[in-house]
Amino acid sequence: MIEREEMPYDVVVVGGGPAGLATAIRLKQVDPELSVCVLEKGSEIGAHILSGATIDPKALDELLPSWREDGCPLAETPVTDNWHWHLTRKKKFALPHLVMPPFMSNDGNYTGSLGNLCRWLAEQAEALEIEIFPGFPAAEILYDEAGAVIGVQTGDMGIDREGNPKGDFQPGMNLLGKYTVFCEGARGHLTKRLKARYDLEAECQPQIYGLGIKELWDVPADKHVPGRVIHTQGWPMSETDSWGGGFLYHQANNQVALGFVTALDYKNPYVYPFEEFQRWKQHPEIRAILEGGKRVAYGARVINEGGWQSVPMLAFPGGVLAGCSAGFVNVPRIKGTHTAMKSGMLAAEAIASAIKAGREQDTLGEYDTAVRESWMAKELKLVQNAEPMVAKWGGEIGTVLAGADMWLRTLFGFGLAKPMKHHTDASTLQRADLYQPIAYPKPDGVISFDRLTSVSYSFTNHEEDQPVHLKLKDAAVPTAINLPLYAGPEARYCPAGVYEFVDPDGSGMKLQINAQNCVHCKTCDIKDPTQNIEWVTPEGGGGPNYPNM
């Protein structure tokens, strides 16, 4: 048995993203006497944060009304110009704003680095005497004898690849709270366990995801239009039995954030999201913006796409889910920061009230109710059929139906259909013999790049002599099932080159896991058709180190 230090708090917050920091700040605003800590697995706040991002400031206005005057970096670049393009192989067609519901407008929104917004929020939190622990991932959930969550255990440090303590071994700590708030982001590994233990998804649809791959470019000043926001749909996904879309945001300092989201419910096992992104960049309209520029950062992260019908029960004994752990992304708007923050604020208000009443480690049903009665719910219900309609009927017809459904819900309060169902992303992949391999073009090294070179621009680092944090439930499955049946999709869906099928000694193919490349996107945990891969947290501080993403 390992002796572990215990640190008691009123509230333990797992995750230093926008939801976790909003939770912590609101707790202290409501009751400055509460003791609050925030755990962050990245080496610093913002190190693992990746988003487009064009942000609706609605929740930020509620949390910190003077943020525009208080040095928040998001205030630098309000959206000034908004375009939506339908792409064919060589051309673009601009979709008029009149055909889209008013809430799809970006008027009043801001574009910038979500990581830098989180860094600024952390400064506000520390000024309120909130303790923030970067580099300390929550590795295990702690329960009392009655089965209520009482806190979390941080990961042990100094364990070798075989699981043995090294000379610099440091045991993880037990952080105990009257309530614990889980804000791990999409597909959090502890959130998965909580959903299973408390059957939180018993009355909702399964969560589904998209994989967002992003780059940051410095572009020539004469091509930069501060505040311009461009979204695209159509090509190249129209050619590969899949769907998704691109974004390109002109942010501060002559930088452009651009990326591509591939819906992970694709059927064709030869789809290669990284290569779809590289191909998209070669479209004449996109390439024209990037030529003469320089790529400065790369990264990837999954995005919740299930919508309102995939929101689970949010409260359980001793804790709650908030932010993307629960899944509050508005898919058509490609926005989730404002809803994530609002959920954290509602969680904080419910927790502060409960502690004031002398309660602890019970089920905060009032938080779940508050979310379902908030503006978050109203917003997400308007778009709840957009993703499933596109998924079912394809990019062309599905987009028209989704638009009609959103207009009807906006104007009359009802849509074309009742809330539609989802299938898990793992279940949609079909056999490789039903498809032909896709011949993706080779990178030119100017606009498009290879995957391993790209990973170097994520500044990812893991201590090599540590246990592999990508666990195979059965080591035989990749070569016995995934390779012969699905052509080894692990080698393609990962945007960081973590998985390779190799035959180093001629004895047959094996799955090699290059865990040090992992950018913590969670795609493997989601898309593996046999659900044989489980992502768990690596040693503290490991992973990407995004500078401005």
Side-chain angles (χ1 to χ4, degrees):
M1 296 295 292
I2 299 174
E3 275 195 38
R4 299 185 185 276
E5 182 181 353
E6 291 190 347
M7 299 177 65
Y9 292 89
D10 289 315
V11 186
V12 175
V13 179
V14 178
L21 292 166
T23 302
I25 291 169
R26 180 62 102 202
L27 281 164
K28 282 289 196 175
Q29 289 175 337
V30 175
D31 185 351
E33 300 304 313
L34 291 174
S35 60
V36 182
C37 75
V38 177
L39 295 177
E40 166 54 41
K41 66 183 177 68
S43 59
E44 64 167 350
I45 293 292
H48 290 180
I49 296 293
L50 182 144
S51 178
T54 296
I55 295 173
D56 184 333
K58 186 172 185 177
L60 189 56
D61 286 338
E62 292 182 14
L63 182 68
L64 297 165
S66 62
W67 63 273
R68 293 172 183 81
E69 295 79 41
D70 290 345
C72 179
L74 186 65
E76 291 182 57
T77 315
V79 173
T80 57
D81 194 12
N82 186 33
W83 293 92
H84 194 109
W85 295 346
H86 179 85
L87 301 183
T88 62
R89 180 181 285 272
K90 296 294 184 182
K91 296 182 179 181
K92 77 171 191 297
F93 298 92
L95 299 181
H97 295 298
L98 289 175
V99 304
M100 292 181 275
F103 61 77
M104 293 293 289
S105 169
N106 274 301
D107 290 346
N109 296 333
Y110 293 77
T111 183
S113 163
L114 182 59
N116 287 342
L117 172 60
C118 288
R119 292 179 177 98
W120 182 82
L121 288 171
E123 294 174 1
Q124 314 313 303
E126 288 176 331
L128 295 171
E129 299 184 347
I130 293 163
E131 295 185 36
I132 299 177
F133 300 117
F136 284 87
E140 301 291 341
I141 305 166
L142 302 176
Y143 302 94
D144 65 14
E145 292 180 358
V149 173
I150 58 172
V152 293
Q153 183 183 113
T154 64
D156 295 336
M157 308 276 281
I159 301 289
D160 68 19
R161 199 171 182 87
E162 284 70 45
N164 302 308
K166 296 188 289 190
D168 59 350
F169 172 74
Q170 293 182 3
M173 298 181 296
N174 291 339
L175 299 176
L176 308 177
K178 295 175 182 176
Y179 294 98
T180 305
V181 186
F182 292 85
C183 306
E184 298 179 283
R187 195 68 168 195
H189 80 292
L190 297 183
T191 300
K192 275 180 60 180
R193 299 177 192 177
L194 292 165
K195 286 181 175 181
R197 183 182 181 101
Y198 298 111
D199 201 13
L200 300 180
E201 293 182 308
E203 298 179 6
C204 71
Q205 292 297 304
Q207 186 59 259
I208 56 175
Y209 302 86
L211 171 59
I213 303 177
K214 177 184 175 182
E215 292 177 347
L216 195 65
W217 284 63
D218 291 333
V219 299
D222 61 349
K223 295 186 176 184
H224 189 253
V225 184
R228 172 166 289 177
V229 165
I230 300 170
H231 292 107
T232 78
Q233 65 184 77
W235 189 88
M237 306 301 285
S238 54
E239 298 184 2
T240 57
D241 196 27
S242 54
W243 69 278
F247 63 87
L248 196 151
Y249 304 151
H250 291 250
Q251 299 178 342
N253 304 314
N254 288 339
Q255 286 195 328
V256 168
L258 68 149
F260 202 84
V261 179
T262 301
L264 288 178
D265 63 353
Y266 61 82
K267 300 174 183 178
N268 184 344
Y270 292 110
V271 166
Y272 196 154
F274 174 84
E275 293 293 354
E276 294 290 344
F277 174 41
Q278 302 307 312
R279 191 157 64 139
W280 173 79
K281 286 190 292 177
Q282 293 288 6
H283 190 279
E285 296 290 343
I286 305 301
R287 185 183 179 101
I289 298 169
L290 301 180
E291 284 180 325
K294 178 183 178 182
R295 180 177 67 162
V296 295
Y298 168 86
R301 188 70 170 92
V302 296
I303 305 164
N304 294 304
E305 291 191 339
W308 184 248
Q309 56 266 57
S310 293
V311 173
M313 289 184 284
L314 301 173
F316 44 87
V320 298
L321 304 179
C324 285
S325 280
F328 297 119
V329 172
N330 184 319
V331 179
R333 295 186 73 199
I334 322 179
K335 290 178 178 59
T337 299
H338 65 304
T339 48
M341 292 180 66
K342 180 61 175 178
S343 69
M345 294 155 63
L346 292 172
E349 290 162 7
I351 289 169
S353 178
I355 291 176
K356 185 176 181 180
R359 295 162 54 191
E360 59 182 82
Q361 288 150 5
D362 58 354
T363 300
L364 288 164
E366 59 268 44
Y367 162 59
D368 193 285
T369 300
V371 167
R372 297 179 194 278
E373 294 178 351
S374 71
W375 57 254
M376 294 170 53
K378 294 176 183 177
E379 177 180 327
L380 295 176
K381 286 177 182 178
L382 291 176
V383 301
Q384 62 185 329
N385 277 345
E387 189 282 339
M389 282 183 166
V390 176
K392 183 171 183 177
W393 284 291
E396 305 291 338
I397 296 174
T399 297
V400 173
L401 292 174
D405 189 84
M406 290 189 292
W407 266 114
L408 285 171
R409 291 176 183 275
T410 300
L411 296 174
F412 304 112
F414 62 86
L416 292 176
K418 294 179 180 179
M420 297 173 67
K421 296 182 178 181
H422 299 309
H423 302 284
T424 65
D425 295 317
S427 70
T428 59
L429 204 68
Q430 296 186 356
R431 301 192 319 266
D433 62 358
L434 300 175
Y435 297 87
Q436 293 296 318
I438 300 169
Y440 289 103
K442 292 183 179 180
D444 62 14
V446 178
I447 301 297
S448 56
F449 306 94
D450 68 88
R451 191 166 50 173
L452 291 183
T453 299
S454 297
V455 173
S456 70
Y457 282 82
S458 70
F459 311 104
T460 295
N461 182 58
H462 293 89
E463 170 60 48
E464 289 196 27
D465 188 19
Q466 64 170 297
V468 173
H469 67 280
L470 302 154
K471 307 291 186 181
L472 297 180
K473 298 174 185 176
D474 184 339
V477 163
T479 51
I481 299 176
N482 288 7
L483 187 58
L485 199 59
Y486 303 104
E490 302 95 319
R492 289 180 294 279
Y493 59 55
C494 174
V498 169
Y499 300 98
E500 293 182 276
F501 285 95
V502 298
D503 184 8
D505 55 10
S507 62
M509 286 290 188
K510 299 175 182 176
L511 181 65
Q512 177 174 293
I513 300 178
N514 306 307
Q516 63 271 28
N517 287 6
C518 180
V519 295
H520 299 197
C521 73
K522 310 293 182 69
T523 304
C524 57
D525 195 287
I526 294 163
K527 189 59 180 174
D528 178 34
T530 50
Q531 287 295 275
N532 189 50
I533 300 172
E534 183 178 10
W535 191 99
V536 299
T537 186
E539 191 168 288
N545 285 281
Y546 296 134
N548 192 29
M549 298 281 266

